Amino acid sequence: MPRFHSPQSERGGLLASFPRLLLGILALLALHSNKSYGVLGGATRAPDGSLTIRLTGPANLPADASHDLHPSLASFSIETAFFETFVGNTSSPNLLTRRLLETLQQRTGTPAEIRIGGITADSTYWNSSLGTSSFNFIDSTGALHNTTIGPGFWESVGLLPEGTKVTMNLNLEDLNYQSAFDVAKSAVEGLASGQLVMFEIGNEPDHYHSFTPQNYTSIWTKWADDLTAAFGLKRPFFQVAATVEDPFWPYGAPGATSQLDCVSALAAGANRDGVVASCSEHSYQYSVCDPVRTAVATLPNLVNHTRLAMFLDLWQPRVQAVREQLGPHAFVNGEYNSVSCSGKNGVSNTFGQALWLLDTTLYAASINISRMYIHQGGPLALQSSTQLNHGGLSFYDLWFPVQNMNGPVKVFPSYYAYLFITEALGFSKSNRIANIYPGRQANGSSITTAMGDDSSGQLVSYGFWDLGGPLNSGYPSKLALLNLQIYNTTQAGTVIRPNSTFDISAYVKEPMQQVRIRRLQASGADVKEGDDTLWAGQKYGTGLATGDIREELVEGPLVHVQASEAALVFLY
């Protein structure tokens, strides 16, 4: 039967939840008098728009720092229908995808985790006789109705870097247990021992069947129990929720507790039999699912820390509640990207998105979201009757593994953000992170422009404390300094590129201590080519580094960061 999905799936949250966000802004303004953690410094702005920010410390691990960071913080969600497109098959493996994933793994020693799922998971079926890895039924209008996978699909999964952990998303929307069972059985039998680490039942179930926490949980729990028993799975083995609607604001607003989400599912008894390993929720800050939201999905709106942090702060109470019940790494963002309905050309495929991705991942880590699975795939017809994109691969993908109607094989600037993140993590398993500028109030809320961020959401700083390193919690081992001020290539020759300054003297032991700096750079925020993007002086257009590593040695406490640039500072 043809599958016609809800036009609100992967819908993006900013405009749809604008009334709630507006209330949130007003509520945050009312908290202006609350005492902050004291990490703010004074800022001065020059006539050219450049800023100087003094980070005031203290240097020791802040009270609001995260738990130990997960080595697979920077992970991926790949749409089921497009998985073979990205990875290839045993006859024709996709070497670009393999190289890009291995390059990330080399920096941490741990592969990025892969969640195979998305909206097409709820129309994916198993056929043991299928002669190809997968088959997508696409009608004459280009609408993708369903996906069938066969034994070769699991051979394709085996092409991922050795040690890659996989979460498999099963079909809930059909309410057909046998169909979900068949796919689950094929995964258990088809994957190498230890590779399959979790099942997820349903994708964004808050968008179909008018599910409530109670009736969703009654079905979900029975299926999870039955699958656990059928395959002898070690408890816990399931990821609950995978919901996408933004949390209501304020947190105690009428209707907030009746939303289907991680917390309400747990409250309804999802883990009564100990089957829940973790909770997943999805987030899309902007959307092109309809013309109204398309209009506000702009680069300046996207690349702004205040907007980004206020959006992610909506999840803070849920993150805290889930961690208290299931453990420190139990809340993940199992699917996210910048602009839902497959991104926006000139926004999601730019260096500006790379800066957004860097800030989003680090800020999410700072509020204890354990892993971030950035979504990869392509536009899905019938996802929305008014969506901007049709066909090809998504403009928010980090790379195009094959030539398609939206462009040739290429690596996009956003991939370089994951290089920055994995290098910041390194091989340590005891890193903690804190947002040290603009920081957060004592109640956990972000400090907005009206409450001490003199950079208007343009300058951001994070500290990494390696509790297993020689400095322990006394000083950070690294700083991430982001300048989100938009500078486009179209301004070159007419506008001098602003160059803001971070005074990091509070975080170094000696006034003239030498530090190392690696930079994430492009000629402007509007750059769309990975080959016009640099991480530490190197390009990764083929999946492998080309060019020499460029690293600066700087004495003294001042670090200059250009508009639309980020720097990773190695302090010790």
Side-chain angles (χ1 to χ4, degrees), residues 49-63:
S50 62
L51 285 155
T52 298
I53 295 283
R54 182 174 180 270
L55 306 178
T56 62
N60 57 291
L61 184 73

Side-chain angles (χ1 to χ4, degrees), residues 291-506:
V292 175
R293 285 180 287 168
T294 297
V296 297
T298 65
L299 205 53
N301 282 346
L302 182 71
V303 190
N304 181 278
H305 178 76
T306 301
R307 291 173 179 267
L308 176 159
M310 291 181 67
F311 178 65
L312 289 178
D313 278 348
L314 295 173
W315 277 266
Q316 283 209 49
R318 292 184 185 176
V319 174
Q320 181 177 347
V322 169
R323 294 178 71 240
E324 289 172 352
Q325 296 178 68
L326 300 176
H329 287 290
F331 192 100
V332 307
N333 192 330
E335 178 185 323
Y336 79 107
N337 217 304
S338 57
V339 180
S340 71
C341 280
S342 292
K344 186 176 183 181
N345 188 17
V347 177
S348 303
N349 52 357
T350 67
F351 185 72
Q353 160 138 325
L355 295 171
W356 170 87
L357 177 58
L358 176 60
D359 195 17
T360 292
T361 307
L362 296 183
Y363 189 78
S366 79
I367 60 173
N368 289 311
I369 297 177
S370 176
R371 277 147 291 164
M372 298 288 289
Y373 296 77
I374 192 159
H375 198 53
Q376 309 291 284
L380 298 168
L382 307 178
Q383 187 172 20
S384 164
S385 60
T386 57
Q387 67 192 42
L388 181 66
N389 299 313
H390 299 272
L393 292 175
S394 296
F395 289 109
Y396 58 42
D397 291 340
L398 271 58
W399 63 91
F400 281 169
V402 297
Q403 184 170 341
N404 64 97
M405 63 178 288
N406 290 328
V409 175
K410 63 160 57 174
V411 178
F412 288 101
S414 290
Y415 173 76
Y416 290 72
Y418 265 22
L419 291 171
F420 186 116
I421 293 161
T422 49
E423 198 146 329
L425 294 174
F427 287 83
S428 173
K429 301 298 189 291
S430 58
N431 276 314
R432 296 191 178 187
I433 189 173
N435 177 219
I436 60 177
Y437 188 88
R440 284 195 292 276
Q441 292 179 232
N443 69 349
S445 297
S446 293
I447 297 176
T448 64
T449 303
M451 291 178 288
D453 178 7
D454 298 316
S455 78
S456 301
Q458 293 178 345
L459 299 188
V460 193
S461 178
Y462 297 90
F464 295 84
W465 283 259
D466 184 358
L467 271 60
L471 298 172
N472 200 288
S473 62
Y475 284 85
S477 58
K478 302 182 185 82
L479 295 175
L481 308 178
L482 285 63
N483 186 342
L484 306 182
Q485 183 177 357
I486 296 290
Y487 181 84
N488 291 323
T489 56
T490 53
Q491 297 174 269
T494 59
V495 177
I496 297 175
R497 190 168 185 167
N499 194 352
S500 293
T501 302
F502 291 83
D503 182 341
I504 65 171
S505 55

Side-chain angles (χ1 to χ4, degrees), residues 21-244:
L21 283 176
L22 181 59
L23 287 172
I25 293 170
L26 296 175
L28 285 172
L29 291 173
L31 294 171
H32 179 56
S33 60
N34 282 8
K35 182 179 180 181
S36 73
Y37 279 113
V39 295
L40 293 176
T44 57
R45 186 180 293 275
D48 67 353
S50 62
L51 285 155
T52 298
I53 295 283
R54 182 174 180 270
L55 306 178
T56 62
N60 57 291
L61 184 73
D64 66 341
S66 72
H67 58 238
D68 290 349
L69 296 179
H70 197 286
S72 298
L73 168 64
S75 286
F76 294 89
S77 167
I78 302 178
E79 191 72 48
T80 310
F82 292 91
F83 183 81
E84 187 180 355
T85 303
F86 273 84
V87 177
N89 53 53
T90 52
S91 298
S92 182
N94 191 284
L95 296 181
L96 177 62
T97 293
R98 175 84 181 198
R99 288 170 181 168
L100 291 170
L101 293 176
E102 287 179 339
T103 296
L104 298 177
Q105 179 184 1
Q106 291 165 3
R107 285 162 166 73
T108 63
T110 304
E113 294 188 5
I114 304 293
R115 176 247 190 181
I116 303 173
I119 193 171
T120 59
D122 274 317
S123 55
T124 292
Y125 308 96
W126 168 253
N127 182 345
S128 61
S129 301
L130 191 69
T132 58
S133 296
S134 61
F135 174 77
N136 291 326
F137 171 55
I138 301 173
D139 69 18
S140 58
T141 70
L144 192 159
H145 291 268
N146 56 58
T147 298
T148 303
I149 62 173
F153 186 84
W154 304 115
E155 295 176 359
S156 291
V157 178
L159 296 173
L160 294 168
E162 184 177 356
T164 300
K165 294 180 178 180
V166 171
T167 295
M168 187 64 190
N169 194 187
L170 306 176
N171 182 347
L172 175 64
E173 189 176 0
D174 280 353
L175 297 180
N176 185 332
Y177 173 75
Q178 186 61 49
S179 178
F181 175 93
D182 291 343
V183 172
K185 182 174 185 287
S186 73
V188 170
E189 295 177 348
L191 289 178
S193 176
Q195 186 169 23
L196 178 68
V197 294
M198 277 187 297
F199 282 124
E200 192 176 70
I201 304 172
N203 176 74
E204 298 173 5
D206 49 343
H207 278 173
Y208 50 76
H209 297 317
S210 300
F211 273 136
T212 66
Q214 290 70 34
N215 59 25
Y216 161 82
T217 300
S218 66
I219 297 170
W220 187 94
T221 304
K222 178 171 174 48
W223 286 26
D225 283 340
D226 289 351
L227 291 170
T228 297
F231 306 128
L233 302 175
K234 182 180 179 180
R235 295 175 188 262
F237 203 83
F238 287 82
Q239 187 157 274
V240 75
T243 50
V244 69

Side-chain angles (χ1 to χ4, degrees), residues 533-554:
T533 307
L534 296 173
W535 165 244
Q538 295 184 309
K539 299 178 181 180
Y540 291 82
T542 64
L544 301 173
T546 59
D548 296 328
I549 291 178
R550 188 182 305 156
E551 189 174 80
E552 303 165 40
L553 294 177
V554 177

